[in-house]
Amino acid sequence: MLALKLAQREFKNNFRYWFFFSLNLTIGLVGFTFIFLFRGNVTQSLAMRSTQLLSSDIAISGRRDVSGEEEKKVMEFMQPLHTEYSRLVSLYSMGKSDSKTRLLFVKFIQDNYPLIGEIKVSSHGTVNSKHIKELNRNPLVWISPEVEHQFKLSRGDRLKIGSIEFKVDGVIKEDTTSAMRGFQLAPKVYVGQSFLEQTELVSYGTVAWRTRFFNLKDPSQAESIKTQLNNIITDKAIKVRTPENASEQLSRVIGYLSDFLGLIGVVALLMSAVGISYLYQSYIFERLKQVGILKSIGVSRSQILLNFLIIIVCVGILSTLMTLGMANFALPFATDYLKEFFKGDFLQGVTWEVVGAIFGLSLIVNILTCFPVLSLLLKQKTTTLLNGELEGSLSPWLYLPGAFFLWAMSIWQAHSIIIGSVFFLALFVVFLIVMTILPMGLNRLNKKLLGVPVSRPVSLPFGYSLRLIARNKFTTLLMVLSLSIGVTLISVIGQLDKSLKTELTSSKEPKPSLFLFDIQEEQVADLKAFTKQNQIPLREPTPMIRARLLKKNGEIVKREEKKEGFSTREEDQSRRFNNRGVNLSYAPGLNASEKLVEGRDFSGTYSGEGLAEVSLEKRYAKRLGVEVGDTLTYEVLGVEVQAKVVNLRQVNWTSFLPNFFIVFQPGVLENAPKTFLAVVRQISFETQLKIQDLLVENFSNISIINVSEVIEKILAMFKVMAWAIGVMSLCCIVVGLFVLYSILQSQLLKKQKEMALQKLMGFEANDILKITLFEFSFLSFVAQFIGSVMGIIVAYIVSFLFLDGVFVFNGEFLIGVNIALYLLTVMTIFFTFKLRYSQNVNQLLSD
Amino acid sequence: MIEFKSVSKTYLQGIKEVEVLKELNFRLDKKGLVAIVGKSGSGKSTLLSLLAGLDNPTHGEIHIDDVCVSDLNESELTKFRASNIGIIFQHFHLIENFTALENVMLPLEVTGVKDAMEKAKNVLATVGLEDRIHHFPNQLSGGEKQRVAIARAYVTNPKIILADEPSGNLDPETGEKVMQTLFETARELNQTVILVTHDDELARKCDSIYEIKDHRLNHVC
Ligand SMILES: Nc1ncnc2c1ncn2[C@@H]1O[C@H](COP(=O)(O)OP(=O)(O)OP(=O)(O)O)[C@@H](O)[C@H]1O
Ligand SMILES: [Mg+2]
């Protein structure tokens, strides 16, 4: 078959070219595959951590147990769906030792607990079912380090809970179930559930929380099972929870991360598409004569088309093989390096399906990027081809399938039509700018240069390169287009990377260790004096007033929507307490963790006339559908308070300070009944316990929660996420730079004949180098300018949609990446020049 | 003075060696017009390439006046050519993105000659292209391209002109006219012209004729 023979010859004669071509595609595919698998692993491992926090796939909990008819229905429904099951009863109770009495959080556990996650106890290590059986057989108790310290207990000592005396069996060293499940008022202890009755606690009317945990056969069904369970259980006091809402803000961030990683993957793939599309177009341009000759000796169009298709398929196979080879080579390293992330083997991700997907992807990318030029080529008249020319221009419509594919990919990977579309639109704008404005400029330049000595303007090398730029329109446009799309993509990643990392990185401020609440108004002064005297780093207490939202712009509000994002225990509590209940606070201005994003500051203390001024948290306002200027009416203990929204705040919730969604100006709520919240800043574990003791002795009604453990866990997870983003961004940028390098390199190789002629004209080495430097600097500058500006715009829009408007401009990246790109250009030129210049004219002319 | 001292040239084609010139000795003292003839593939273009320093001989030395061309490095060669040699190629080798005028003007501008544009225009006029000066090579016919190439070779007033079948692409009438200008200018400026041609009549108009045969150069008359 002729087409096959032609293709075979093509490969034989131009093996290096096609190898390079495949390498380009491979780099993109490897980037995409790696990011794809990595993303799966990261999100999985993060999701796993969040299921650990819930300690099962699904949990049903409430102040009372599901009982009678409902229980039967629930258990019947769950029977075929679950693999493991466990129940937990937890309650607050006083614990007594020989010398002390303190409030404890008692968890009565059963076999299998926790279904997901683990507990480590000093005497046993990681707890297994044998240990729990033992706990249910004998009156033993595992205590937290706080209990150990407060009661001064050691193994074998006695601790009385309710009517039973338990023997201390060990100290809890690690407990994955503790974080995020609401803050606990008191230090916890674990005892066997079989002793619940004997403690007689429940029968005395102590409020207990009862939870049924299930591990599902198919964890991905959790959400739909939850909905069905919610239909079975009519009592709204009983909640069905899945890991997703075990920690809402965590899953929100995991979502961002996953989407962002997906986008990076698409970008890597796109970069390589830009690269091969460039290489392919310049290849076709070089082969025009050859195709013309083939046609003139009677080779049919379909044969020529077939020939090209065979080449494309071969390149696809070659790239797939190289991708797999590289994956085989590189992934074990990656797995090694990322050990803490991947519980299993990374390579397990590379299944036959993945191989098929890679091959399919490489073919699609190949065909879609090569199709436009190919179709233009096939339309040409033989004589035009023989002259080495192309008539007519590339119709942008031909790029439509490719564009559509790109669009679909971005939507798929970003999980968002808007973000995918923004990406797509941005690249389209780059395309338009390069294809319309630039040619106009080049034409004008060209007209100005006609009939002017080559040594003008400026100097001979400059004038020379200016002519090349203006007249080599096809090359100039193609190169600027490819480079600027590349730079756009790289900049988007670089800019978003910083924004996302900022979202994940906590403020420098010391984190709180203790949360104090239920502080009565009359206690505030005493507490302040006391903490000062004892040198406890207490932050100024924040007032909190219970209220109900009545009206929004005069209209009655039905019910408050469930909020997402970081919510404090108080807000959770108030949500449980009253659906429309909200917590108000007042302050003269913003605190250190808040930033004004819209509107103006408070005008000062309320004068008593007109509407009071209120500031809302941005996301809260968005959910409530309220903007600056709207009015809200609250009911505070029977009194209606009308307020006008004067500004929206953004809260850095990684500061973990007490932040309120609704803050009034001073002078409005001072007389309302209220309690205060306060935090004690980062202090050592020892000091925490000491302070806790002191506070409990002197202010017995104040509740204290120790939040340092929870905060540390969250921060550690964020750190890992930020790191993952950094690694992936870098990966993508490396792919980008490689593609840009190969574009430059191929362009420079074509300069070979030009160099021979320049030598013939008598140009010295320096001048030839200068000409090339000028020309490429110009192309590179234009592309870098367009790309950087577009990149920042896209990053801004995406972060506006993605990150609720947190955009952090990354100036260092902008400068750094542009310098790197320019250095890359210059170095590639020098390298290629050195290689070429020593060859004699005939060598340069041949080939 | 042009001298070849036992010059050999072999091309490597894959692993096969193709011997084109073998132990070639040749000395030309007088200025004037020299024709080189020979069968296709005998090595005429190769000989010119070696002389112009476009390619290196496999063995031997080539001297032009007191310069050993085969010893110069690339950048010395470039300089030497710029001021001593004008080349007219079989395949023109014009710079595609430059107009006829710019192509002719460039060698002057490189050496920093004043009035480069005026001079270039004059030379283009002598080859009959005054109304084509702003055309790009792909807008010119084969013959027009060849005339631009000739103008480019002449514009710097070199001591030696190397011409590889300059009239091969022209119709007899134009060819004759172009060659006429070439010969007249050469005589007028006392240049040495080495002309590769298949055209016996043209060869006979030269002062001496050499033929390449069996890898060697033989004086014919
Ligand atoms: N770069 C090269 N590599 C290998 N072989 C070459 C190369 N250039 C020329 N040859 C071979 O050297 C021989 C001489 O070539 P050359 O171009 O000098 O011939 P010519 O006498 O000018 O022919 P014509 O009259 O057809 O132009 C030919 O056989 C050619 O195939
Ligand atoms: Mg020849």
Side-chain angles (χ1 to χ4, degrees):
Chain A
M1 202 162 76
L2 181 65
L4 203 63
K5 258 190 216 146
L6 284 174
Q8 191 193 355
R9 203 168 304 150
E10 175 63 41
F11 271 114
K12 223 176 107 194
N13 293 340
N14 281 309
F15 183 74
R16 272 181 54 192
Y17 177 86
W18 290 111
F19 179 75
F20 201 60
F21 188 97
S22 310
L23 192 65
N24 227 304
L25 183 57
T26 303
I27 295 280
L29 284 172
V30 168
F32 182 78
T33 316
F34 179 71
I35 290 165
F36 189 78
L37 295 175
F38 181 75
R39 173 199 189 192
N41 269 289
V42 168
T43 44
Q44 207 182 322
S45 100
L46 287 174
M48 200 160 78
R49 285 178 204 206
S50 90
T51 52
Q52 278 180 357
L53 299 178
L54 182 71
S55 56
S56 68
D57 288 336
I58 203 159
I60 303 169
S61 62
R63 288 188 189 206
R64 67 166 186 86
D65 200 0
V66 221
S67 53
E69 210 33 40
E70 247 170 34
E71 181 190 4
K72 233 178 93 190
K73 272 195 215 156
V74 167
M75 294 315 283
E76 252 166 37
F77 172 70
M78 289 306 295
Q79 190 53 43
L81 299 173
H82 80 272
T83 55
E84 279 180 304
Y85 169 68
S86 185
R87 290 176 65 179
L88 169 76
V89 179
S90 46
L91 47 77
Y92 286 101
S93 167
M94 297 311 275
K96 285 196 199 89
S97 73
D98 298 339
S99 53
K100 286 204 169 152
T101 308
R102 278 291 148 77
L103 189 70
L104 296 176
F105 184 62
V106 190
K107 292 172 90 171
F108 293 87
I109 57 174
Q110 226 183 25
D111 209 5
N112 284 343
Y113 187 85
L115 297 188
I116 296 173
E118 57 185 29
I119 301 169
K120 274 190 187 147
V121 175
S122 60
S123 48
H124 306 298
T126 304
V127 165
N128 58 32
S129 69
K130 201 184 84 204
H131 302 130
I132 295 182
K133 281 206 179 92
E134 190 62 29
L135 206 63
N136 276 290
R137 217 171 291 137
N138 299 309
L140 299 174
V141 60
W142 296 332
I143 57 174
S144 62
E146 289 101 318
V147 178
E148 181 190 22
H149 182 88
Q150 282 175 1
F151 289 86
K152 308 251 174 328
L153 293 173
S154 44
R155 198 166 180 210
D157 288 347
R158 284 167 197 287
L159 179 66
K160 192 168 179 194
I161 300 166
S163 322
I164 295 206
E165 214 160 58
F166 290 91
K167 210 166 82 184
V168 175
D169 184 42
V171 180
I172 303 160
K173 289 296 173 207
E174 240 185 88
D175 186 353
T176 57
T177 68
S178 62
M180 307 308 293
R181 305 239 12 246
F183 298 106
Q184 284 140 15
L185 288 161
K188 75 184 154 225
V189 298
Y190 282 112
V191 294
Q193 211 172 93
S194 54
F195 295 99
L196 180 62
E197 296 240 322
Q198 294 173 50
T199 58
E200 297 179 325
L201 287 169
V202 183
S203 43
Y204 280 125
T206 308
V207 180
W209 286 268
R210 291 163 193 276
T211 314
R212 290 163 189 263
F213 296 103
F214 297 92
N215 264 4
L216 300 175
K217 281 183 182 150
D218 180 3
S220 65
Q221 288 297 309
E223 283 307 312
S224 80
I225 292 176
K226 176 184 165 186
T227 324
Q228 285 167 283
L229 281 175
N230 270 330
N231 289 336
I232 298 172
I233 303 162
T234 47
D235 188 346
K236 288 294 160 229
I238 295 175
K239 289 261 153 56
V240 181
R241 308 209 302 165
T242 57
E244 253 91 281
N245 40 32
S247 78
E248 284 160 350
Q249 83 273 28
L250 203 61
S251 66
R252 186 173 65 96
V253 176
I254 291 176
Y256 287 166
L257 182 76
S258 166
D259 295 351
F260 183 66
L261 290 182
L263 262 186
I264 295 181
V266 173
V267 166
L269 197 63
L270 228 110
M271 288 291 315
S272 82
V274 168
I276 61 169
S277 140
Y278 174 84
L279 288 176
Y280 196 75
Q281 307 206 20
S282 53
Y283 162 75
I284 293 235
F285 210 64
E286 272 166 41
R287 289 300 139 95
L288 294 175
K289 255 187 196 153
Q290 193 184 319
V291 175
I293 292 166
L294 286 178
K295 278 178 98 172
S296 69
I297 59 170
V299 179
S300 71
R301 255 163 50 153
S302 55
Q303 286 282 354
I304 292 174
L305 180 65
L306 196 61
N307 164 37
F308 280 107
L309 285 181
I310 291 172
I311 292 177
I312 287 174
V313 172
C314 289
V315 165
I317 294 172
L318 189 62
S319 320
T320 308
L321 289 178
M322 292 207 303
T323 304
L324 289 174
M326 273 199 197
N328 249 317
F329 174 76
L331 289 187
F333 280 107
T335 318
D336 238 31
Y337 189 63
L338 309 174
K339 233 180 211 137
E340 72 147 316
F341 249 118
F342 304 114
K343 295 270 151 74
D345 186 4
F346 197 71
L347 268 178
Q348 277 172 357
V350 187
T351 56
W352 278 110
E353 281 154 46
V354 174
V355 174
I358 293 173
F359 181 59
L361 211 56
S362 75
L363 273 193
I364 292 175
V365 171
N366 249 336
I367 289 173
L368 289 180
T369 45
C370 302
F371 169 67
V373 221
L374 203 54
S375 81
L376 180 65
L377 176 78
L378 291 175
K379 272 198 314 222
Q380 300 297 314
K381 280 194 237 111
T382 311
T383 45
T384 345
L385 289 174
L386 282 171
N387 280 335
E389 283 165 27
L390 273 180
E391 248 168 28
S393 55
L394 273 175
S395 158
W397 298 115
L398 294 176
Y399 284 98
L400 221 56
F404 198 77
F405 177 71
L406 142 72
W407 186 49
M409 283 285 282
S410 345
I411 290 175
W412 173 47
Q413 289 290 298
H415 292 139
S416 154
I417 292 187
I418 303 172
I419 288 162
S421 307
V422 166
F423 244 72
F424 167 76
L425 211 73
L427 298 185
F428 185 67
V429 169
V430 171
F431 181 83
L432 275 189
I433 291 176
V434 175
M435 286 313 190
T436 57
I437 298 178
L438 201 58
M440 266 156 45
L442 292 181
N443 278 341
R444 284 181 74 172
L445 183 63
N446 201 4
K447 273 194 195 125
K448 287 227 167 107
L449 290 174
L450 265 188
V452 176
V454 183
S455 49
R456 261 184 277 153
V458 188
S459 69
L460 188 56
F462 190 80
Y464 193 113
S465 57
L466 217 54
R467 280 166 178 79
L468 290 182
I469 293 162
R471 293 168 185 173
N472 246 337
K473 236 168 40 192
F474 181 79
T475 315
T476 302
L477 293 184
L478 193 58
M479 207 169 132
V480 170
L481 183 64
S482 311
L483 287 179
S484 51
I485 287 183
V487 176
T488 304
L489 294 173
I490 290 182
S491 316
V492 172
I493 297 301
Q495 295 295 338
L496 278 181
D497 172 71
K498 170 118 180 216
S499 304
L500 202 53
K501 271 191 197 150
T502 309
E503 172 96 339
L504 293 176
T505 315
S506 47
S507 57
K508 296 273 178 311
E509 236 179 88
K511 301 286 165 291
S513 287
L514 301 175
F515 246 84
L516 277 55
F517 52 98
D518 294 340
I519 305 168
Q520 301 305 306
E521 209 167 348
E522 57 277 11
Q523 285 180 312
V524 173
D526 285 349
L527 180 70
K528 274 172 139 173
F530 175 79
T531 49
K532 199 169 172 196
Q533 189 190 340
N534 288 286
Q535 292 179 322
I536 299 171
L538 182 86
R539 272 183 68 105
E540 181 66 28
T542 320
M544 182 176 96
I545 299 112
R546 289 273 162 88
R548 280 196 320 147
L549 175 63
L550 290 182
K551 293 176 198 159
K552 193 170 84 182
N553 286 331
E555 278 174 45
I556 292 178
V557 177
K558 284 275 160 4
R559 59 175 292 264
E560 188 200 349
E561 281 155 64
K562 193 167 176 290
K563 32 182 179 290
E564 294 160 22
F566 186 73
S567 51
T568 60
R569 174 190 162 279
E570 292 74 41
E571 287 149 1
D572 273 342
Q573 228 177 24
S574 89
R575 195 162 66 202
R576 252 175 272 139
F577 172 74
N578 182 336
N579 216 4
R580 272 172 296 173
V582 287
N583 290 318
L584 310 180
S585 187
Y586 56 86
L590 304 174
N591 73 28
S593 63
E594 296 171 331
K595 208 174 91 195
L596 189 79
V597 286
E598 217 185 307
R600 58 166 175 84
D601 282 323
F602 290 140
S603 58
T605 307
Y606 181 54
S607 60
E609 278 170 35
L611 298 180
E613 292 174 357
V614 68
S615 161
L616 298 184
E617 195 266 342
K618 198 183 139 186
R619 286 181 185 133
Y620 173 76
K622 204 170 153 190
R623 272 192 306 275
L624 205 62
V626 172
E627 284 165 25
V628 170
D630 286 349
T631 54
L632 296 170
T633 309
Y634 293 98
E635 186 215 295
V636 184
L637 229 77
V639 182
E640 279 195 17
V641 181
Q642 266 207 348
K644 191 173 135 202
V645 179
V646 294
N647 70 49
L648 301 183
R649 280 167 299 138
Q650 186 173 297
V651 174
N652 175 6
W653 42 267
T654 51
S655 72
F656 298 98
L657 291 177
N659 288 305
F660 285 85
F661 287 143
I662 307 149
V663 176
F664 273 75
Q665 74 182 135
V668 187
L669 300 170
E670 271 78 347
N671 293 325
K674 57 186 164 293
T675 59
F676 284 80
L677 294 173
V679 297
V680 175
R681 285 197 224 151
Q682 209 157 40
I683 39 175
S684 72
F685 183 67
E686 303 297 310
T687 332
Q688 277 170 31
L689 296 175
K690 229 171 68 200
I691 292 174
Q692 246 168 307
D693 280 350
L694 275 174
L695 288 174
V696 170
E697 264 160 43
N698 292 281
F699 303 92
S700 54
N701 69 304
I702 296 179
S703 312
I704 305 165
I705 341 163
N706 189 334
V707 290
S708 46
E709 193 193 353
V710 179
I711 289 177
E712 254 162 48
K713 268 191 183 157
I714 295 176
L715 287 181
M717 201 182 281
F718 285 176
K719 226 177 168 171
V720 172
M721 286 187 197
W723 179 83
I725 289 171
V727 170
M728 288 298 89
S729 303
L730 197 72
C731 228
C732 181
I733 288 166
V734 168
V735 169
L737 288 180
F738 175 81
V739 170
L740 296 188
Y741 167 78
S742 57
I743 290 175
L744 283 171
Q745 176 77 14
S746 103
Q747 189 54 38
L748 280 167
L749 287 181
K750 283 199 287 186
K751 295 265 151 193
Q752 194 165 303
K753 191 180 167 196
E754 181 103 32
M755 190 192 253
L757 298 182
Q758 286 163 346
K759 276 188 177 185
L760 280 174
M761 296 285 170
F763 278 104
E764 286 179 32
N766 250 339
D767 284 340
I768 300 180
L769 189 59
K770 268 191 209 155
I771 291 172
T772 321
L773 274 178
F774 280 143
E775 185 191 354
F776 280 71
S777 296
F778 176 87
L779 298 179
S780 165
F781 274 139
V782 172
Q784 277 173 268
F785 180 75
I786 298 176
S788 296
V789 170
M790 278 316 288
I792 291 169
I793 293 176
V794 177
Y796 181 80
I797 297 174
V798 170
S799 65
F800 194 79
L801 303 166
F802 239 136
L803 305 172
D804 301 302
V806 184
F807 177 71
V808 185
F809 175 66
N810 193 346
E812 298 116 69
F813 179 81
L814 180 74
I815 295 168
V817 85
N818 277 301
I819 289 177
L821 276 172
Y822 189 63
L823 278 182
L824 185 78
T825 313
V826 172
M827 265 156 51
T828 318
I829 291 171
F830 269 103
F831 180 70
T832 323
F833 182 81
K834 269 252 137 55
L835 219 66
R836 295 285 152 191
Y837 189 77
S838 57
Q839 298 191 336
N840 65 42
V841 176
N842 266 9
Q843 280 169 323
L844 291 174
L845 281 177
S846 67
D847 195 44
Chain B
M1 189 268 290
I2 296 171
E3 188 174 13
F4 278 59
K5 287 184 181 167
S6 69
V7 169
S8 300
K9 179 70 189 175
T10 12
Y11 285 113
L12 218 82
Q13 273 176 334
I15 45 163
K16 217 177 74 194
E17 284 194 351
V18 181
E19 196 164 45
V20 181
L21 302 175
K22 198 160 141 193
E23 301 277 323
L24 192 140
N25 284 297
F26 159 73
R27 190 182 161 101
L28 188 75
D29 285 313
K30 286 186 296 180
K31 305 211 165 172
L33 304 170
V34 180
I36 294 180
V37 295
K39 274 197 212 136
S40 175
S42 56
K44 304 182 294 294
S45 299
T46 304
L47 186 88
L48 283 198
S49 287
L50 294 179
L51 189 52
L54 305 181
D55 209 338
N56 309 340
T58 319
H59 294 292
E61 286 177 7
I62 298 162
H63 293 262
I64 295 177
D65 292 339
D66 41 6
V67 179
C68 179
V69 180
S70 41
D71 272 357
L72 299 179
N73 68 25
E74 275 300 308
S75 88
E76 289 164 339
L77 266 175
T78 304
K79 252 188 237 165
F80 178 77
R81 266 197 307 262
S83 45
N84 294 296
I85 303 177
I87 310 169
I88 304 159
F89 289 94
Q90 203 170 356
H91 305 292
F92 323 133
H93 289 320
L94 299 178
I95 302 181
E96 274 175 46
N97 290 305
F98 282 60
T99 60
L101 179 63
E102 285 168 343
N103 262 290
V104 177
M105 198 157 53
L106 261 178
L108 293 174
E109 290 191 275
V110 169
T111 43
V113 174
K114 277 184 211 140
D115 309 324
M117 177 128 56
E118 278 316 301
K119 283 183 181 147
K121 277 183 182 165
N122 286 339
V123 180
L124 277 167
T126 54
V127 292
L129 287 178
E130 51 272 75
D131 53 347
R132 293 278 188 281
I133 57 173
H134 291 317
H135 283 224
F136 286 94
N138 62 0
Q139 299 166 330
L140 295 171
S141 75
E144 287 168 336
K145 277 187 225 177
Q146 188 62 296
R147 281 185 273 165
V148 175
I150 291 171
R152 188 177 62 181
Y154 265 94
V155 77
T156 52
N157 249 332
K159 280 190 278 188
I160 303 168
I161 298 237
L162 305 176
D164 200 344
E165 292 180 51
S167 55
N169 287 292
L170 308 179
D171 62 280
E173 201 180 320
T174 325
E176 195 155 320
K177 242 166 64 191
V178 167
M179 292 321 290
Q180 196 69 32
T181 2
L182 204 146
F183 285 3
E184 273 168 19
T185 353
R187 292 228 156 87
E188 197 176 305
L189 301 173
N190 198 17
Q191 288 170 318
T192 300
V193 174
I194 299 186
L195 175 73
V196 168
T197 182
H198 287 291
D199 185 343
D200 287 345
E201 203 177 315
L202 197 60
R204 253 175 290 173
K205 284 186 189 160
C206 293
D207 302 333
S208 51
I209 303 175
Y210 289 82
E211 185 187 13
I212 299 188
K213 206 174 172 185
D214 302 329
H215 316 301
R216 280 169 215 277
L217 192 65
N218 306 313
H219 191 108
V220 178
C221 69

